[in-house]
Amino acid sequence: MVILSSDYRFRLGPGAVVAVLDDVAEGEGGEKTGRKIVRLDRGTVSALVTAPVPAADKSAKSGESAPADDSVIVRTPLCDAFAMSEQNQIRVSQSTTGSGWNCRFAAPTGRMQLSGRQFKVPRIKRNTEVEISGTEDYTRIAAPRGEFTVEFEKGADATETVQFKSRMVGKIARQYAAIGHRMAVSVMVSYPPAKAGEEGALMSYSYLEGQTGVGVDGRPAVASAAEGSEKESSDSASDPFASSGSDDFGDFGESASETSNASSNDSSAFAGFDDW
């Protein structure tokens, strides 16, 4: 068990590998920010957070956005979890292929937010579970249980908001252009079919990091002719999903079966918190 304060208590599962760190501001000679980072490298952490979090509903009525409580951040290899309240569980394991990770974020009776490369989950509510897997170059987002919203980056100063439901899958692929060394990002979201035997809808777009132009069919848009050399380089990797060999969106059944076997929402992990 790790107790950071009376409001932030964590129970570690068997074999969990965790480091508790002071967050340091970016830049040379950065100072401590006052935040704590619970870095979860492997295993399961059950969190009980009783610190007050501003209610999003009240802020919405007043026309103001609720500030996120980031005094304690749980950092996984693929994204950060913060703005936690009540009971939450986070699990990190190595992928079955031996490269990359599988991270599950469950909120049996709590709430939290996620922030990763090119995506955010602004709210995970009760009885919801989010599965995020992949590597530094590739991210897969699925909804084993419940519903939630994902905000995907879409070029400079733009986002694509998608409401995730059961059997939906989102994927982000990243690759640096050989010329210009700018990152090309491809985003795909697959929707389940409305009827059996039909194909589900597919939304996809691509962009060059820092650019406003957004392309389709895996081809990042180029804002000017001066960037033509970058386009030539990115065209050679126009479909990073196809090149991975495992991203044909044919694994919807996996999420359904995992939902029935999911144990990360087991509230028994929180038994005894009040006795600390």
Side-chain angles (χ1 to χ4, degrees):
M1 295 178 289
V2 176
I3 303 176
L4 298 181
S5 71
S6 60
D7 288 328
Y8 290 93
R9 294 174 282 173
F10 299 87
R11 173 169 290 173
L12 311 184
V17 178
V18 173
V20 180
L21 311 170
D22 290 313
D23 187 32
V24 179
E26 296 182 358
E28 187 176 352
E31 299 181 353
K32 295 180 181 179
T33 62
R35 290 190 296 261
K36 288 289 187 181
I37 296 176
V38 179
R39 193 186 71 201
L40 178 60
D41 296 331
R42 184 174 68 249
T44 302
V45 164
S46 301
L48 179 62
V49 179
T50 56
V53 176
D57 296 337
K58 293 181 180 179
S59 298
K61 292 180 181 179
S62 64
E64 299 177 358
S65 59
D69 176 16
D70 60 353
S71 55
V72 176
I73 299 171
V74 177
R75 177 157 294 167
T76 72
L78 298 177
C79 65
D80 289 347
F82 58 99
M84 295 176 289
S85 65
E86 302 182 50
Q87 299 176 359
N88 296 284
Q89 290 182 333
I90 301 172
R91 185 176 67 200
V92 174
S93 60
Q94 195 168 24
S95 65
T96 55
T97 60
S99 61
W101 301 272
N102 184 289
C103 304
R104 282 183 176 252
F105 304 85
T109 64
R111 297 178 181 179
M112 63 179 144
Q113 299 181 28
L114 305 179
S115 178
R117 298 182 68 190
Q118 287 88 39
F119 76 92
K120 292 181 180 178
V121 181
R123 184 184 181 190
I124 300 176
K125 57 185 180 180
R126 295 186 178 193
N127 297 320
T128 300
E129 185 175 354
V130 180
E131 180 186 35
I132 299 176
S133 56
T135 65
E136 297 245 342
D137 299 325
Y138 166 75
T139 300
R140 180 183 186 272
I141 303 172
R145 183 179 305 187
E147 299 180 4
F148 54 89
T149 299
V150 180
E151 297 176 355
F152 294 97
E153 290 184 9
K154 194 173 183 179
D157 305 321
T159 58
E160 181 76 24
T161 301
V162 180
Q163 182 70 25
F164 269 66
K165 300 180 180 181
S166 177
R167 299 177 64 203
M168 286 183 60
V169 177
K171 301 184 178 183
I172 305 172
R174 312 169 185 90
Q175 186 170 355
Y176 285 96
I179 301 176
H181 304 290
R182 182 167 295 172
M183 180 184 292
V185 181
S186 294
V187 177
M188 297 179 70
V189 177
S190 178
Y191 297 81
K195 298 180 181 180
E198 296 181 356
E199 292 186 2
L202 183 67
M203 183 271 291
S204 65
Y205 62 88
S206 300
Y207 61 91
L208 293 174
E209 191 175 41
Q211 296 297 304
T212 56
V214 176
V216 295
D217 298 328
R219 294 179 180 269
V222 178
S224 66
E227 294 175 341
S229 59
E230 292 187 34
K231 182 178 186 304
E232 292 176 3
S233 174
S234 62
D235 283 351
S236 63
S238 61
D239 193 356
F241 293 104
S243 63
S244 66
S246 60
D247 305 325
D248 57 356
F249 293 100
D251 54 357
F252 284 127
E254 177 184 352
S255 295
S257 63
E258 287 173 350
T259 301
S260 61
N261 297 325
S263 61
S264 59
N265 276 351
D266 184 4
S267 61
S268 63
F270 299 98
F273 266 115
D274 294 333
D275 299 331
W276 293 7

